[in-house]
Amino acid sequence: MNQNEFLSAMEDVLQTEDTLSMDTILEDLVEWDSLSVMATMAFLDKNFGIKTTMSDYKTMKTIGDIAKKAGL
Amino acid sequence: MAISFFNHVKIAGFKTAIPERCINIDDEIEFFDNNPKKLARAKKIAGYGKRYVADKNTTVVDLAVDAASKLLQEMKVNSHEIDLLIFINQKPDYEAPCDASIAHGMLGLEKNCATLNLNLGCSGYVSGLWQAFSLLENGNLKKCLILAGDIPARDLDIKDRKRAPVFGDAASATLIEYTENPSPSTFVLGTDGKGWDKIIYPFNGRRIPLDNNLLNLKIETPSGYQWDYSQGILKGEDIFYFTMDVAPELIIQTLSQANWKKEDVDLYAIHQANKQIIENIIDKAQIPAEKTPSDVFSKYANNSTTSVVTVLCDQPKDKKFGKTLLCVFGIGLSWGGATLDLEGVYNGGIYTYISPKNKPTREELINYWIKCIKGE
């Protein structure tokens, strides 16, 4: 999965109508809530075998931070 | 390894009772900042929909016994034919005795009918089936009733948005029979007892009995509702990964033990934890989504102990059942997988339990016991 594919996959994971970029601030997204965190955890586990914790998301600020976790 | 094979036991029929009161997530838009988009998103991601909630005078025993007597009637089985009753639930009607005894009495079963009670939640149904199949396999016992259920929704605070939209009340009855004709089944069970505290009701047992302090303990939670001793603790993140790790692997292992290919299976009945979890399991185990219902959660929510029976009973009445895989997981932590041939099974469906008008109220019951204690 390249960065563009990751962004479009995340748009689907978060069910957002916004176009995401690596700089998109998570807090600015209306959709960024506990449902989205769980959906993101599942997405990273399924596609990258990476197990994130709830507390990881407290330190992540942008979509790019999630991409970094995924190793992109 | 708890892997078992049986050849002479089958499920003959099942039926599910749900309470009358229905709560629809569409009527709860206030909890989504009155924003239709937020509501639609929660429905799409988590699958929130309808849930049925028992009234204060209705318990799991009421629902399960009603389902059982209707099932026996519809299948024309006499109660004196039942050799064994197994009750599976997490939260009993009374601290003691167990619900199996109470249900045995209410159903008017014979005195030579044995009873067992299993204290398990979402994983319990497969454990109960496994016990029934073990005890019936050699033909000494011919018929067993399994009553499974819980009322996880009845006492939840509607402001508890982590759990209120997730749980629904229901109970089921299943008739198990010894059969001369071969009917192969496979069971795979497991436990991770180190995870005993991941889903727990810590107070009001013998380890930490209730006192006035605990009785009055109210804790403000980040999600805005008050926690009291009757509410359990669910470590969401740990449970999430437990499910993601255990359930897909369990499906693969159970299929392999049964020597079934994925495409052989007509129906994958998976515990309806929530839509997202089921979809993740489908993806990870790579099983066909069209044979794996995840919409039962949206129709009835998570029915805990009996949720997998809700999936079976929700199938169309004229559906011909065949090769069926059950996959359940939950409190314990524990899990179970089973492959069953359900050809010819009777599906009694899902019906609404009507609470009798003359049912004693809480106050009447308390007065009754006070009189007992006073010797009146």
Side-chain angles (χ1 to χ4, degrees):
Chain A
M1 192 178 289
N2 65 32
Q3 291 204 351
N4 281 335
E5 286 163 347
F6 176 83
L7 289 172
S8 102
M10 278 304 291
E11 284 165 13
D12 189 49
V13 169
L14 303 184
Q15 291 285 308
T16 178
E17 286 161 17
D18 296 352
T19 304
L20 298 178
S21 76
M22 289 299 177
D23 299 325
T24 305
I25 311 268
L26 296 171
E27 289 298 321
D28 290 350
L29 292 165
V30 256
E31 293 87 2
W32 187 248
D33 59 8
S34 60
L35 275 178
S36 288
V37 172
M38 289 301 249
T40 307
M41 285 166 72
F43 171 69
L44 293 183
D45 183 34
K46 262 190 311 201
N47 294 282
F48 303 94
I50 288 166
K51 288 192 162 43
T52 46
T53 64
M54 300 281 189
S55 53
D56 287 336
Y57 293 90
K58 289 183 184 129
T59 58
M60 292 187 207
K61 297 276 178 282
T62 63
I63 292 288
D65 291 339
I66 300 176
K68 261 185 229 149
K69 268 275 173 201
L72 292 174
Chain B
M1 277 209 290
I3 298 170
S4 313
F5 304 95
F6 305 101
N7 215 19
H8 288 287
V9 191
K10 62 168 190 178
I11 295 184
F14 32 65
K15 192 169 181 75
T16 293
I18 51 169
E20 263 182 285
R21 185 174 164 229
C22 176
I23 302 178
N24 191 329
I25 199 75
D26 289 335
D27 299 327
E28 294 191 306
I29 195 164
E30 64 193 285
F31 295 113
F32 297 90
D33 304 326
N34 286 310
N35 181 338
K37 272 193 179 169
K38 282 192 177 178
L39 171 65
R41 201 171 143 274
K43 284 169 75 171
K44 186 161 183 199
I45 295 182
Y48 295 157
K50 287 180 181 166
R51 58 191 195 271
Y52 293 83
V53 182
D55 66 73
K56 290 289 175 198
N57 295 326
T58 295
T59 70
V60 62
V61 172
D62 296 331
L63 293 169
V65 164
D66 197 66
S69 53
K70 287 191 162 62
L71 180 71
L72 293 180
Q73 202 177 11
E74 288 165 19
M75 295 187 72
K76 300 188 170 52
V77 173
N78 198 303
S79 61
H80 68 67
E81 294 176 60
I82 306 298
D83 303 311
L84 172 66
L85 169 80
I86 301 179
F87 208 116
I88 317 155
N89 62 339
Q90 195 172 304
K91 294 287 216 129
D93 275 21
Y94 293 94
E95 192 179 341
C98 67
D99 287 340
S101 297
I102 301 171
H104 179 284
M106 285 170 78
L107 285 166
L109 302 184
E110 293 287 322
K111 284 185 183 169
N112 59 14
C113 164
T115 52
L116 286 174
N117 214 112
L118 296 186
N119 180 346
L120 281 168
C122 305
S123 66
Y125 186 71
V126 169
S127 296
L129 271 187
W130 177 64
Q131 298 228 345
F133 276 54
S134 307
L135 291 165
L136 266 61
E137 173 74 7
N138 68 9
N140 287 339
L141 310 184
K142 296 285 191 284
K143 282 187 169 55
C144 165
L145 257 185
I146 293 185
L147 306 192
D150 262 304
I151 47 165
R154 191 188 78 173
D155 301 319
L156 280 179
D157 182 345
I158 202 152
K159 291 197 285 297
D160 176 356
R161 297 318 287 177
K162 269 192 187 162
R163 282 179 296 182
V166 176
F167 289 104
D169 299 335
S172 66
T174 306
L175 182 69
I176 321 286
E177 284 178 348
Y178 172 78
T179 169
E180 290 284 347
N181 299 327
S183 177
S185 59
T186 307
F187 286 77
V188 177
L189 283 92
T191 306
D192 176 9
K194 291 206 163 59
W196 66 277
D197 60 348
K198 304 295 186 200
I199 309 173
I200 186 167
Y201 293 82
F203 306 136
N204 203 17
R206 296 286 74 76
R207 179 69 64 185
I208 312 173
L210 274 189
D211 59 9
N212 277 336
N213 284 341
L214 285 178
L215 196 60
N216 297 318
L217 179 68
K218 306 267 187 231
I219 302 170
E220 288 299 329
T221 64
S223 32
Y225 73 99
Q226 274 198 335
W227 190 93
D228 64 42
Y229 81 92
S230 70
Q231 315 286 323
I233 299 171
L234 195 149
K235 296 181 180 171
E237 186 179 303
D238 293 335
I239 297 306
F240 179 74
Y241 283 124
F242 156 67
T243 307
M244 294 279 282
D245 291 341
V246 165
E249 183 59 36
L250 176 64
I251 292 171
I252 303 300
Q253 199 192 353
T254 309
L255 285 173
S256 136
Q257 290 296 335
N259 214 2
W260 284 10
K261 294 193 192 75
K262 284 177 188 171
E263 58 269 27
D264 294 342
V265 179
D266 296 314
L267 176 68
Y268 289 88
I270 298 185
H271 167 57
Q272 303 284 298
N274 73 35
K275 182 168 166 253
Q276 189 187 38
I277 285 176
I278 299 161
E279 286 174 352
N280 285 326
I281 293 171
I282 292 171
D283 278 3
K284 255 192 141 172
Q286 296 186 312
I287 53 173
E290 68 278 7
K291 291 180 177 176
T292 314
S294 63
D295 61 328
V296 181
F297 175 79
S298 306
K299 294 187 199 171
Y300 301 100
N302 174 346
N303 298 149
S304 180
T305 315
T306 192
S307 124
V308 76
V309 192
T310 311
V311 176
L312 299 175
C313 290
D314 186 56
Q315 299 300 307
K317 278 240 177 181
D318 55 355
K319 177 197 165 85
K320 284 202 166 65
F321 281 87
K323 288 187 165 180
T324 305
L325 183 137
L326 306 185
C327 167
V328 296
F329 41 85
I331 198 165
L333 301 168
S334 57
W335 54 90
T339 61
L340 306 161
D341 186 355
L342 292 185
E343 197 190 332
V345 74
Y346 170 74
N347 179 8
I350 300 171
Y351 76 99
T352 305
Y353 164 83
I354 308 291
S355 196
K357 293 254 185 317
N358 58 354
K359 201 186 271 181
T361 63
R362 174 188 165 85
E363 287 68 31
E364 286 166 346
L365 288 171
I366 292 172
N367 283 334
Y368 169 80
W369 294 113
I370 290 174
K371 279 185 180 169
C372 273
I373 296 158
K374 286 181 175 168
E376 288 170 11

